[in-house]
Amino acid sequence: MVLDFTLTRTCALRNETMPKLDILQYPDPRLRTVAEPVDAVDDRIRRLADDMLETMYDAPGIGLAATQVDVHERVVVIDVSDEHDDPMVLINPEILETQGAERGQEGCLSIPGYQDMVERAEWVRVRALDSNGEEQEFEADGLLAVCIQHEVDHLNGKLFLDHLSELKRKRAHRKLTKQARMSA
């Protein structure tokens, strides 16, 4: 079965310039908001996904959750391809099953300049709506599995910092809060 998670009108195919959305930065409390399910996949949601893709590519990043752009609906965009030409849009994503565990370096567009080792499942089975509102179920491993878990965490009001030890979390919080105050 071929999965269709790409938008019917991705930013690469459009001639107009899309707006770049503002990405919330840690320690903004809005990053802790739990996103609400999308009731209907309509033009507004497709436009949001298009804008999120443009923002993600511009940042540059490989994943972005709507929570990070202060829209608290369950929408995620991802592109882990080397050429940045394989966008995925996941609406109301659910991780149904996980297997294995691996540690890897993670960063976040909402926490620029900070990375740390995080343990994630090696493999996930996911259900989500695509940009046409069609339910899809698929499996992912490697970087795609990690990215899906990271972005679904955002929808649930969690950050990758929450996966760190208490000591590392406190150190990161102090460092990042100080940086935020200095840049304000």
Side-chain angles (χ1 to χ4, degrees):
M1 169 159 83
V2 176
L3 299 177
D4 178 20
F5 284 104
T6 58
L7 292 175
T8 55
R9 51 187 184 101
T10 64
C11 52
L13 300 176
R14 293 171 31 174
N15 291 330
E16 76 252 32
T17 304
M18 294 174 45
K20 186 178 137 218
L21 304 170
D22 291 328
I23 298 173
L24 298 177
Q25 302 293 303
Y26 182 86
D28 192 311
R30 293 172 291 179
L31 290 168
R32 298 298 187 171
T33 304
V34 176
E36 296 292 327
V38 172
D39 292 327
V41 179
D42 54 18
D43 286 343
R44 182 185 66 80
I45 293 296
R46 284 187 280 277
R47 169 66 71 167
L48 171 64
D50 279 350
D51 291 349
M52 288 172 59
L53 280 166
E54 183 69 16
T55 301
M56 178 190 75
Y57 289 132
D58 188 58
I62 61 170
L64 188 67
T67 301
Q68 292 177 270
V69 294
D70 202 20
V71 176
H72 303 289
E73 294 180 274
R74 297 187 77 78
V75 178
V76 165
V77 296
I78 295 173
D79 188 345
V80 297
S81 68
D82 290 335
E83 296 79 26
H84 306 292
D85 62 353
D86 192 18
M88 295 177 70
V89 175
L90 306 178
I91 300 166
N92 297 335
E94 299 174 74
I95 297 175
L96 303 173
E97 185 180 351
T98 65
Q99 290 181 3
E102 64 182 355
R103 287 184 58 79
Q105 191 84 350
E106 274 188 44
C108 181
L109 294 175
S110 291
I111 310 172
Y114 186 83
Q115 297 182 353
D116 214 322
M117 298 297 287
V118 175
E119 187 170 299
R120 299 277 188 185
E122 293 177 298
W123 174 91
V124 295
R125 187 163 56 90
V126 179
R127 180 179 346 171
L129 300 177
D130 65 17
S131 60
N132 296 314
E134 299 294 322
E135 186 174 284
Q136 306 286 331
E137 198 169 299
F138 66 100
E139 299 173 1
D141 60 7
L143 182 58
L144 179 56
V146 168
C147 191
I148 290 168
Q149 292 170 81
H150 179 107
E151 301 309 331
V152 169
D153 272 358
H154 275 299
L155 298 178
N156 294 326
K158 288 182 71 175
L159 302 170
F160 85 92
L161 298 175
D162 299 332
H163 292 276
L164 304 178
S165 70
E166 185 177 350
L167 177 62
K168 280 189 169 187
R169 227 180 10 258
K170 286 180 179 179
R171 284 182 183 163
H173 176 75
R174 279 193 302 270
K175 175 183 176 183
L176 295 165
T177 302
K178 182 178 178 180
Q179 286 176 349
R181 277 194 306 261
M182 292 175 67
S183 66

